[in-house]
Amino acid sequence: MSSYGFKMNSNHLHDTFAVLFSFLFTITHLFNNGVSCGATPLNHANIDMTLASNEFVMINFYADWCKFSNMLQPIFDEAADKIKESFSEPGRVVFGKVDCDKEGGIATRFHISKYPTLKVIRNGQPAKREYRGQRSVEAFVEFVKKQLADPIKEFNTLQELHDIDKKARAVIGYFHSKEVKEYDVFRRVASNLKEDCLFHVGFGEAVRAMHPPDQPLIVFRPDHATPEIEHESYNGSLTLYDELNAWLTDKCVPLVREITFENAEELTEEGLPFLILFHKPDDVNTVKLYKEIVLTELISEKQSINFLTADGERFAHPLHHLGKSPDDLPLIAIDSFRHMYLFSDISQMTVPGKLKQFVHDLYSGKLHREFHFGPESGSPIEIVQIQMGNLQIGGDSGGDTKQVTKPPESTFKKLAPSKNRYTLLRDEL
């Protein structure tokens, strides 16, 4: 009996191992052949670690009851699988998803007001704008590959370094090789700021004449229209990401920025009115003067208004709303996202306090009042007459009649993203 029993137990054990081996083989086969795992579910327990330990994270904020979320989910999951195949090294990229009904705290933290919303987190910091490109597997994969492409252009001669575009702010790195930790930190910071600065790097023999051998160096070079020092070297630790990122963010994101059709959406998302210098493309002197005035007189206003320059030929449409054309350049205007107000005489911007008063008059309501009832004495605005009818001013016995005018509507608000592009929160339906 014992021999028979042992035989039965051995057979049973053999069968168990056979089943287990078959199961493990199947799992391994499926894994190695790209079984669909989809995006990584994120919750309060794992989201912070995921964001902190990965260079690039794309998050799909969704709700199960939202039909647009349900349409996107299989596409996003398939894209996540393809991204895992292309970027298999740990710490590089993660596609995540957040069920906003279950994780309301995370949804609030990221200011989610519509479903689905796709946000990008780069090196632990939210990108300036959410993803609004095509929602297909191919588009997602191409977007990630573009975002993770090395943003740094290598130079091999000093002449190439000399030929770097002087109209843009630039950061130049000098390293022994790409394999050093300092370069990896530099690359990660460059991926954050590539929209704000040009990044260039030289290695080995190409940079021996520029600095001592085997001593990495990073230099910031301002654009030629910025009234700053010619060059500035970074003196902090080149192995500390947060320290280098903070220093270069301060250098690369200027007080006065150029608005383009490519960045207009993210600028409008900041929610601050625009003080814009419209100029001819080659008018470097006026741009430089405007920046100097902002830096010396208006820096205290930076929390309440965005200081911008704009190519007046590319942005001819806002000029048309102001009753102007590229022939009238340069000129200055405020766009409050409700209306546009024109500074009457650009030569007056050099008069101390004039441009600052123009900004203060926006917040006091004076600019809006003057468009309705005419300019007050010494007003720094030009009235653009858009007739709305007549308004009686004075008592019943009759008095002066002034023509009511209306300021031109904002044109830049039309470049802002729609707040209702996708499903609204449930209680707003």
Side-chain angles (χ1 to χ4, degrees):
M1 291 291 292
S2 60
S3 174
Y4 178 75
F6 177 77
K7 184 178 182 181
M8 290 292 293
N9 289 338
S10 297
N11 288 340
H12 179 70
L13 187 63
H14 178 271
D15 291 343
T16 300
F17 274 114
V19 172
L20 181 59
F21 177 81
S22 177
F23 174 76
L24 291 175
F25 175 83
T26 301
I27 293 297
T28 302
H29 176 77
L30 289 174
F31 178 80
N32 290 331
N33 286 275
V35 64
S36 177
C37 297
T40 302
L42 299 178
N43 52 50
H44 71 280
N46 69 357
I47 187 168
D48 289 325
M49 180 59 71
T50 301
L51 300 184
S53 58
N54 289 279
E55 183 176 338
F56 185 94
V57 181
M58 192 170 189
I59 306 177
N60 173 20
F61 292 89
Y62 71 95
D64 281 335
W65 49 267
C66 167
K67 70 174 183 178
F68 300 108
S69 293
N70 292 328
M71 290 167 61
L72 176 63
Q73 184 168 326
I75 298 172
F76 194 76
D77 283 340
E78 184 180 347
D81 293 329
K82 290 188 177 295
I83 289 297
K84 290 173 186 176
E85 295 174 8
S86 299
F87 300 94
S88 57
E89 63 269 40
R92 198 76 199 278
V93 58
V94 166
F95 267 38
K97 55 187 177 183
V98 173
D99 183 337
C100 292
D101 281 340
K102 294 181 179 178
E103 302 292 339
I106 297 178
T108 299
R109 169 180 166 184
F110 286 91
H111 310 290
I112 305 303
S113 60
K114 55 188 178 293
Y115 304 124
T117 291
L118 300 175
K119 286 189 176 288
V120 170
I121 314 297
R122 188 180 288 109
N123 294 307
Q125 298 297 318
K128 295 178 182 178
R129 52 183 170 182
E130 57 195 57
Y131 177 85
R132 294 192 178 90
Q134 183 181 1
R135 299 188 171 205
S136 68
V137 173
E138 295 76 15
F140 285 135
V141 172
E142 185 62 29
F143 174 74
V144 172
K145 288 182 177 180
K146 183 178 179 181
Q147 292 298 308
L148 291 179
D150 194 337
I152 307 172
K153 185 175 181 180
E154 183 176 348
F155 65 88
N156 296 298
T157 67
L158 296 182
Q159 184 59 47
E160 291 178 48
L161 185 59
H162 178 74
D163 293 339
I164 293 174
D165 185 3
K166 293 180 174 57
K167 292 183 180 180
R169 296 181 172 218
V171 180
I172 303 162
Y174 307 91
F175 298 91
H176 176 66
S177 72
K178 284 188 176 182
E179 282 65 48
V180 298
K181 181 178 180 180
E182 291 89 344
Y183 179 76
D184 184 60
V185 172
F186 182 58
R187 180 191 61 80
R188 289 172 58 203
V189 172
S191 71
N192 282 355
L193 298 170
K194 62 184 178 181
E195 305 295 334
D196 303 294
C197 267
L198 300 178
F199 284 83
H200 295 263
V201 68
F203 300 101
E205 293 296 330
V207 299
R208 286 188 184 278
M210 304 297 293
H211 74 101
D214 302 325
Q215 292 186 18
L217 177 68
I218 293 175
V219 176
F220 169 75
R221 190 210 68 187
D223 61 273
H224 66 166
T226 302
E228 298 175 0
I229 60 175
E230 186 175 351
H231 291 81
E232 186 173 352
S233 299
Y234 175 64
N235 296 318
S237 171
L238 293 175
T239 61
L240 296 179
Y241 167 83
D242 289 337
E243 190 174 314
L244 178 61
N245 187 63
W247 187 79
L248 281 179
T249 297
D250 182 60
K251 301 299 179 185
C252 288
V253 182
L255 182 61
V256 179
R257 291 174 282 179
E258 180 184 6
I259 188 170
T260 65
F261 289 113
E262 290 74 24
N263 69 5
E265 185 174 275
E266 73 184 49
L267 288 172
T268 59
E269 281 189 291
E270 294 179 11
L272 299 178
F274 295 164
L275 178 70
I276 312 175
L277 167 68
F278 294 94
H279 62 91
K280 291 184 180 294
D282 57 352
D283 186 1
V284 175
N285 290 333
T286 302
V287 172
K288 186 173 183 178
L289 180 60
Y290 174 72
K291 289 182 176 181
E292 289 176 346
I293 294 170
V294 170
L295 188 62
T296 56
E297 297 187 22
L298 295 174
I299 191 170
S300 61
E301 309 296 325
K302 66 179 182 179
Q303 301 300 326
S304 60
I305 196 162
N306 268 327
F307 305 109
L308 306 173
T309 63
D311 182 333
E313 293 182 0
R314 292 191 68 196
F315 284 95
H317 183 64
L319 299 184
H320 176 73
H321 270 242
L322 289 166
K324 302 293 181 180
S325 74
D327 293 335
D328 298 306
L329 297 173
L331 54 85
I332 293 175
I334 285 177
D335 191 304
S336 70
F337 297 154
R338 292 185 59 199
H339 301 293
M340 295 186 72
Y341 305 96
L342 184 64
F343 191 68
S344 60
D345 183 359
I346 194 167
S347 67
Q348 293 289 301
M349 78 172 179
T350 58
V351 178
K354 280 285 187 179
L355 210 52
K356 189 172 186 177
Q357 187 60 53
F358 184 47
V359 173
H360 286 181
D361 287 346
L362 170 71
Y363 286 101
S364 70
K366 181 180 178 182
L367 295 186
H368 195 77
R369 290 195 306 272
E370 289 185 344
F371 267 98
H372 281 291
F373 306 118
E376 300 173 10
S377 176
S379 173
I381 67 168
E382 177 180 323
I383 300 301
V384 180
Q385 298 289 339
I386 301 180
Q387 186 170 338
M388 297 290 292
N390 290 324
L391 176 66
Q392 184 77 18
I393 305 295
D396 293 337
S397 60
D400 294 336
T401 301
K402 285 190 177 182
Q403 190 171 354
V404 176
T405 60
K406 179 184 178 183
E409 290 188 359
S410 166
T411 57
F412 287 94
K413 71 177 180 181
K414 298 174 184 176
L415 298 177
S418 169
K419 294 182 179 180
N420 305 323
R421 187 171 300 186
Y422 308 113
T423 309
L424 296 177
L425 296 177
R426 186 197 301 268
D427 58 2
E428 294 177 14
L429 291 177

